[in-house]
Amino acid sequence: MPQHAERFDQFDGVGMSANIAGMEQRRAAARLGGGQKRIDAQHAKGKLTARERLLILLDEGSFEEVDMYVEHNCTDFGMQDQVIPGDGVVTGSGTINGRLVYVYAQDFTVFGGAVSERHAMKICKVMDAAMKVGAPVIGLNDSGGARIQEGVASLGGYTEIFQRNVLASGVVPQLSLIMGPCAGGAVYSPAMTDFIFMVKDSSYMFVTGPDVVKTVTNEIVTQEELGGAVTHSTKTSVADLALENDIEALLSARDLIDYLPSDNRSGVPERPTSDAWDRIEDSLDTVIPANANQPYDMHEVVRKVLDEGDFFEIQPTHAANIIVGFGRIEGRTVGVVANQPMVLAGVLDINASKKAARFVRFCDAFEIPILTFVDVPGFLPGTAQEYGGIIKHGAKLLFAYAEATVPKITVITRKAYGGAYCVMSSKHLRGDLNYSWPTGEIAVMGAKGAVEIIFRQDIGDPDKIVERTREYEDRFANPFVAASKGFIDEVIHPRNTRRRIALGLRKLRNKSLENPWKKHDNIPL
Ligand code: HXC
């Protein structure tokens, strides 16, 4: 009998079905994780299990698990008698709307999802696989942190993950969903990924918990106040979104992934759209109020320009004076940065600068064109800002725009004053197409402030001041001085903004621009 036939023979008939049954039994045991009682406890907290979460995150039937039978190797504290296949994390790959992603989901029902050496090894394996083929990594975090019984072996495992987070940064998108505890050094893996989503009431992130805080600083604070989803999506900006529950968080992750390239070489994804590229949006002609100090909602401008009005906003509840997020033009992803006149008149402050700088750098790393809508009265004055280091933080945004080599299209809708004019993707920072609406005001500062400085001697004479102010406005409260110098490429009809942007992006599709060789830059951190 030929050798291969002999081999087949072994798996035939009764022998083979027994093997299959054995395999199914092992699979069933692994799928039960820490057992029904702990699964029930997880559900009672309003949380889904790791596998239930993956079912929602990934396309139906697409999840392929690996390392289901991996066990920990710890023999201290009686751990040899407590072995659960999979070791507290479910790993593998699947698709989101047909596009490959790698995933890991920590299983809180197994040792509280605590990270052992082997658990970490499993996470590293999917990260390595994702890097090899160029696909996003999505981590569902729900863990008590380092596996206490393992000591330094666990810390080593964590650090292997950290190292990979850094190497993957800018190569494949990394998304962290925090769906339970994430405390101590464990927070630093998500912190180094591109986006963090948190679930309200059931997730928290902090370096030291409320008990330690109380002992050290005497502050009394709840887990939610210290590191809950609302705290991190409003105050700290650690989280990009706070979602109501597991399902909402997982569906939002699907939405975000739809906008993102698979890696830094594959280019933006493209999807069919029925929205005409040259759609005229008449309402944009009247969106700017007659009174220059009256606000309007920049979201309206953004949505009216993007395909089907779809906009995935990042950090909507932090530094709302600047809007950042993803949309599409002609079915292709763009990153949007826009001053928001409705909040603090759209001023640039520390938080807005940091928020937008990080977003611009993400877009540049992944070859996503950047659209910038400008209506900015300048940088925010005050001791709080100066002592907080607005110089360094404002420089982050300037630096991010200046180093970005992706297509950059800028539309000034109203104010572009002072340093903020320079920073917001101006021509001088290699803006490819810089447009202004006729309502644009491009100047060193607002007319009133300018007159009070250059005509200080007239301050006692209100009539003169009014006249000087009108003179200054006539000269600078328009886009034509900048246009006469070539700093603005064209003054456009607001209603044609989408058409102009679509045409611009088509032209810029093969843009090629390289910065000088360097090991890396030294962005002001
Ligand atoms: C081993 C752990 C564990 C851990 C929880 N468990 N955390 N096992 N190592 N770190 C186990 C529990 O023993 C329990 O097992 C099960 O998980 C569920 O835990 P409960 O306490 O019953 O759940 P809950 O009341 O919801 O509380 C969750 C928790 C709490 C807040 C996470 O378990 C907790 O405080 N754990 C310790 C957290 C911690 O100090 N971790 C180390 C941080 S230092 P059974 O068998 O009863 O189901 C760190 C350093 C990382 O992480 C450094 C990286 C560089």
Side-chain angles (χ1 to χ4, degrees):
M1 201 184 324
Q3 242 183 344
H4 68 271
E6 212 174 316
R7 250 188 286 138
F8 271 114
D9 202 33
Q10 285 177 19
F11 295 106
D12 216 2
V14 179
M16 183 148 164
S17 49
N19 285 344
I20 290 175
M23 178 187 75
E24 287 299 352
Q25 240 171 18
R26 279 174 179 270
R27 283 186 174 182
R31 285 192 185 118
L32 209 53
Q36 195 56 48
K37 221 171 106 190
R38 292 192 182 90
I39 293 175
D40 294 342
Q42 178 86 344
H43 287 160
K45 289 181 198 155
K47 291 158 69 179
L48 298 174
T49 65
R51 283 194 168 74
E52 288 165 346
R53 287 169 175 166
L54 289 173
L55 283 181
I56 295 170
L57 177 69
L58 300 170
D59 293 342
E60 201 179 337
S62 73
F63 179 50
E64 282 194 283
E65 187 166 349
V66 291
D67 284 345
M68 194 182 212
Y69 313 109
V70 164
E71 297 171 351
H72 70 70
N73 56 354
C74 177
T75 51
D76 289 316
F77 306 105
M79 283 297 278
Q80 66 277 10
D81 303 324
Q82 300 179 58
V83 173
I84 298 176
D87 206 27
V89 63
V90 183
T91 59
S93 60
T95 58
I96 291 182
N97 288 327
R99 295 168 66 226
L100 177 67
V101 293
Y102 281 83
V103 290
Y104 70 85
Q106 292 178 314
D107 182 351
F108 192 82
T109 70
V110 179
F111 308 116
V115 175
S116 68
E117 183 183 307
R118 291 271 167 86
H119 174 127
M121 226 176 68
K122 285 182 65 174
I123 294 176
C124 290
K125 196 194 257 190
V126 288
M127 294 179 78
D128 291 343
M131 286 284 279
K132 254 186 268 178
V133 302
V137 180
I138 306 173
L140 312 186
N141 295 258
D142 188 357
S143 166
R147 179 95 47 95
I148 292 164
Q149 297 89 335
E150 289 202 12
V152 72
S154 163
L155 301 185
Y158 257 123
T159 317
E160 296 280 343
I161 300 172
F162 298 159
Q163 177 66 65
R164 281 165 178 77
N165 286 133
V166 174
L167 295 180
S169 181
V171 180
V172 295
Q174 301 179 78
L175 170 57
S176 302
L177 272 61
I178 315 297
M179 313 186 85
C182 183
V187 296
Y188 286 112
S189 172
M192 291 191 290
T193 63
D194 297 302
F195 301 103
I196 297 181
F197 294 177
M198 291 183 75
V199 180
K200 285 185 192 167
D201 302 326
S202 62
S203 74
Y204 51 86
M205 295 178 82
F206 34 67
V207 174
T208 52
D211 293 345
V212 178
V213 168
K214 181 162 178 260
T215 311
V216 177
T217 69
N218 270 327
E219 291 166 293
I220 296 171
V221 65
T222 64
Q223 277 186 353
E224 192 63 26
E225 286 162 353
L226 186 62
V230 172
T231 296
H232 283 312
S233 59
T234 53
K235 276 197 175 80
T236 70
S237 84
V238 165
D240 296 287
L241 283 183
L243 289 314
E244 291 301 323
N245 53 46
D246 281 15
I247 295 176
E248 224 186 70
L250 294 159
L251 295 179
S252 294
R254 285 180 63 89
D255 284 348
L256 176 61
I257 289 289
D258 269 350
Y259 286 96
L260 304 185
S262 295
D263 73 351
N264 58 345
R265 290 170 196 268
S266 53
V268 296
E270 194 166 350
R271 60 146 72 174
T273 173
S274 52
D275 201 351
W277 67 273
D278 56 354
R279 171 168 49 79
I280 304 294
E281 193 59 57
D282 286 324
S283 61
L284 289 181
D285 281 351
T286 52
V287 82
I288 304 291
N291 176 348
N293 294 322
Q294 206 178 317
Y296 58 94
D297 188 358
M298 188 64 99
H299 282 111
E300 191 186 332
V301 176
V302 170
R303 286 191 183 277
K304 283 183 170 161
V305 166
L306 296 174
D307 285 358
E308 280 121 22
D310 282 342
F311 181 53
F312 190 101
E313 190 166 353
I314 301 291
Q315 294 194 7
T317 49
H318 174 78
N321 39 330
I322 203 154
I323 299 168
V324 301
F326 299 103
R328 297 184 187 86
I329 297 281
E330 291 201 85
R332 296 167 63 85
T333 303
V334 291
V336 175
V337 180
N339 309 115
Q340 168 60 294
M342 297 270 278
V343 180
L344 297 172
V347 77
L348 283 180
D349 58 2
I350 292 172
N351 289 344
S353 303
K354 289 198 302 189
K355 170 178 162 180
R358 183 160 164 79
F359 182 77
V360 166
R361 295 194 102 215
F362 177 85
C363 291
D364 190 47
F366 288 97
E367 300 293 352
I368 301 171
I370 300 166
L371 302 185
T372 305
F373 294 92
V374 183
D375 187 349
V376 62
F379 280 97
L380 183 64
T383 51
Q385 291 291 306
E386 296 293 346
Y387 296 166
I390 182 72
I391 296 174
K392 269 267 164 83
H393 298 297
K396 288 178 179 156
L397 183 55
L398 173 57
F399 200 110
Y401 267 124
E403 72 176 345
T405 56
V406 289
K408 293 187 280 196
I409 300 183
T410 307
V411 181
I412 296 174
T413 58
R414 190 167 61 175
K415 296 171 195 159
Y417 290 166
Y421 154 76
C422 312
V423 168
M424 293 300 295
S425 201
S426 64
K427 197 78 201 158
H428 323 280
L429 300 181
R430 304 185 296 180
D432 294 296
L433 288 168
N434 290 69
Y435 293 127
S436 177
W437 289 359
T439 42
E441 299 171 26
I442 305 165
V444 173
M445 56 172 63
K448 191 167 169 290
V451 166
E452 282 171 5
I453 293 170
I454 55 180
F455 299 109
R456 190 168 290 160
Q457 71 278 10
D458 297 334
I459 280 184
D461 184 344
D463 290 344
K464 249 192 182 162
I465 288 289
V466 168
E467 193 192 318
R468 299 284 196 202
T469 304
R470 195 172 311 121
E471 228 176 273
Y472 193 89
E473 277 172 358
D474 287 347
R475 175 86 180 108
F476 288 115
N478 65 66
F480 295 101
V481 179
S484 73
K485 298 178 191 302
F487 298 169
I488 293 296
D489 295 299
E490 177 63 301
V491 181
I492 62 171
H493 276 290
R495 63 173 178 265
N496 290 340
T497 305
R498 174 177 164 84
R499 191 178 130 256
R500 291 289 191 148
I501 288 173
L503 281 172
L505 290 171
R506 278 188 204 172
K507 275 183 274 204
L508 291 165
R509 210 171 277 183
N510 295 324
K511 176 183 175 184
S512 159
L513 178 64
E514 271 186 29
N515 292 332
W517 186 91
K518 54 183 92 170
K519 187 167 177 192
H520 57 71
D521 56 40
N522 190 15
I523 188 164
L525 291 175

